[in-house]
Amino acid sequence: MSDPVGHQGPAASGPASAGGSPEAPENAEYRVAHLQERLAAEELGELGVRAEFRAGAVAVTGTVPSARCRETVLRLAREELAGLTVHTDVVVAETDRPDHAEELW
Amino acid sequence: MVIRVAAVGDIHMGPDSQGLLRPAFETLPDCADLLLLAGDLTRHGTPEEARVVAREVRGLPVPVVAVLGNHDHHDERPETVTSILREAGVRVLEGEGTVVECAGGKVGIAGTKGFGGGFVGRSAGEFGEPVMKEFVRTTRRSADSLHAALKGLDEEGCAARVALTHFSPVADTLAGEPPEIHPFLGSYLLAEAIDTAGADLAVHGHAHMGAEHGMTAGGVRVRNVAQPVIRRAFNVYRLGAA
């Protein structure tokens, strides 16, 4: 699943610095780091969501324990990465019982 | 004779997840003799979150054995989390073993949270600043307790022995995680304890983006049962008892 949470290109948040990454607009790397800090520090305590630059956008991926957690991840990504193109692939952990066992002998 | 071990880790329960796992857990007697919980049962290790976990597993018709994870320590009240889970009937292990009597024989579980440090050739050493030495010593103490617990279970005549940790004993089951963070995901000291004391299976969690299957250098099967990895409420491993 992919939910674009922002459609503005990198130019919307200012020109890339001369020495910066060709993919990331100025200071965008730090904003990604701040997103991960907020995911861990705020109500989620979430360390299992990854955010990284892919093809000029930020890809936010991972598995979270509930639908509410997923909504919170998407909200924090919108807030922290406003103006950047963000693609999310955040899924809720599956809770079905297994349909078979693994034999170990 | 067969011993059926169900296991899951990293269920990260909070108030909004009450009841999500219970329907699957209630089917456990059909397919398993016991349930192992491989740590990170909560999000922040608060008593409120621990009570959600306790309600999810209370009164299950199979024994439940758990270790805590790093999330369960975040609120710095692991003793409170432990006592809430124990009050609900969960056997919470930290550097100790327990024996479960199954139809297929006695199964011993040795449990510890474990800690990081990395793997052979790319690991942290007990050297330098006090905080660095304490980091590695924490893992070493955990590994030593795991070794002693597994040895103790051997003396009790268990038909099968399982090492239960939160951090990983091997890098195999971290495949998919960035290699740069492997030292924060596990330590070879845990695998060394498992191989030198002996075990039939090692179960861990912690690495959400890792892989399920691995093996220690000594040939002990390792399974990463983090819920995001197994994508189920639990997995079941059938061990042939001696």
Side-chain angles (χ1 to χ4, degrees):
Chain A
M1 191 181 325
S2 179
D3 295 333
V5 294
H7 296 282
Q8 294 173 293
S13 48
S17 62
S21 159
E23 290 193 342
E26 191 171 21
N27 294 330
E29 280 193 6
Y30 303 122
R31 293 171 65 192
V32 168
H34 295 159
L35 170 64
Q36 296 200 293
E37 287 164 10
R38 289 187 66 186
L39 289 172
E42 296 184 9
E43 70 261 38
L44 288 178
E46 180 58 67
L47 305 177
V49 170
R50 189 181 293 180
E52 53 198 1
F53 279 97
R54 285 283 187 273
V58 184
V60 180
T61 59
T63 302
V64 295
S66 71
R68 186 181 298 176
C69 289
R70 183 175 181 278
E71 290 168 14
T72 305
V73 169
L74 300 187
R75 176 177 58 77
L76 292 175
R78 276 195 297 270
E79 289 174 8
E80 200 62 48
L81 305 176
L84 301 178
T85 301
V86 179
H87 297 295
T88 63
D89 186 6
V90 178
V91 298
V92 178
E94 294 166 62
T95 55
D96 293 335
R97 59 170 288 180
D99 57 10
H100 67 283
E102 183 185 352
E103 310 280 350
L104 293 178
W105 53 61
Chain B
M1 299 295 279
V2 174
I3 292 166
R4 307 169 303 169
V5 178
V8 65
D10 304 82
I11 55 179
H12 291 287
M13 299 199 84
D16 58 324
S17 46
Q18 188 78 73
L20 290 177
L21 294 167
R22 183 78 190 192
F25 284 169
E26 286 182 347
T27 71
L28 279 164
D30 301 336
C31 60
D33 298 307
L34 70 160
L35 172 65
L36 304 183
L37 299 176
D40 277 6
L41 311 180
T42 66
R43 297 175 192 165
H44 305 85
T46 63
E48 180 191 24
E49 292 172 349
R51 281 190 282 272
V52 174
V53 180
R55 284 191 290 269
E56 207 74 355
V57 299
R58 184 187 299 276
L60 286 179
V62 298
V64 181
V65 181
V67 293
L68 301 188
N70 53 310
H71 279 252
D72 306 317
H73 279 250
H74 184 68
D75 202 40
E76 301 184 14
R77 286 188 279 183
E79 298 85 4
T80 304
V81 172
T82 295
S83 65
I84 290 169
L85 294 175
R86 284 185 175 153
E87 193 275 329
V90 180
R91 304 187 203 182
V92 183
L93 304 179
E94 180 44 63
E96 59 204 308
T98 189
V99 176
V100 174
E101 299 277 355
C102 306
K106 284 164 62 174
V107 58
I109 301 99
T112 182
K113 176 177 68 65
F115 200 45
F119 302 93
V120 175
R122 296 171 294 280
S123 60
E126 203 173 311
F127 186 86
E129 301 89 332
V131 69
M132 192 66 210
K133 286 185 281 206
E134 186 53 28
F135 180 93
V136 178
R137 282 175 191 157
T138 299
T139 308
R140 191 176 300 283
R141 281 194 293 269
S142 179
D144 288 348
S145 71
L146 182 65
H147 182 275
L150 284 168
K151 281 286 197 188
L153 293 170
D154 191 34
E155 289 162 12
E156 292 195 47
C158 291
R161 287 178 296 161
V162 180
L164 175 63
T165 62
H166 179 63
F167 285 73
S168 178
V170 296
D172 295 8
T173 47
L174 307 183
E177 297 279 4
E180 296 89 341
I181 68 168
H182 283 194
F184 302 103
L185 299 179
S187 166
Y188 77 91
L189 295 172
L190 298 170
E192 185 178 11
I194 291 165
D195 281 341
T196 54
D200 299 280
L201 174 66
V203 170
H204 74 89
H206 195 46
H208 291 202
M209 296 186 184
E212 183 187 358
H213 288 221
M215 186 176 279
T216 66
V220 176
R221 267 80 60 98
V222 180
R223 296 293 179 264
N224 174 3
V225 296
Q227 196 189 4
V229 171
I230 63 173
R231 301 178 66 184
R232 297 185 184 92
F234 55 87
N235 261 1
V236 178
Y237 306 102
R238 290 163 57 94
L239 302 173

